[in-house]
Amino acid sequence: ASIGRLDEDALFYLRSRGIDEARARDLLVQGFASEVLASLPSPALAEGLAELLREQMRGAGAGEAAP
């Protein structure tokens, strides 16, 4: 498990390229999560958890999740 703040420099970089804040935050969270999910021994488990994450992000009113 990990908890903490998003990298403000990375957030600034995305925002400076015209990406709205909600979408930028989604991209950073998904990027972090993808590293964790890639380390799981089961690809099926990783994909199932990735889908749950996408659903949670959509349900929480976050920006549009990446496909």
Side-chain angles (χ1 to χ4, degrees):
S2 180
I3 123 177
R5 299 185 62 145
L6 291 177
D7 181 341
E8 293 299 323
D9 289 336
L11 187 59
F12 175 79
Y13 177 84
L14 293 171
R15 298 276 294 129
S16 70
R17 268 113 188 113
I19 299 173
D20 69 67
E21 185 171 354
R23 179 72 172 138
R25 289 181 180 280
D26 281 358
L27 289 170
L28 292 174
V29 169
Q30 289 172 358
F32 173 79
S34 70
E35 289 182 28
V36 173
L37 295 174
S39 71
L40 294 175
S42 167
L45 175 61
E47 181 52 40
L49 291 173
E51 180 58 31
L52 285 174
L53 175 62
R54 287 188 290 268
E55 289 174 15
Q56 288 295 314
M57 290 176 77
R58 282 190 296 266
E64 190 175 318

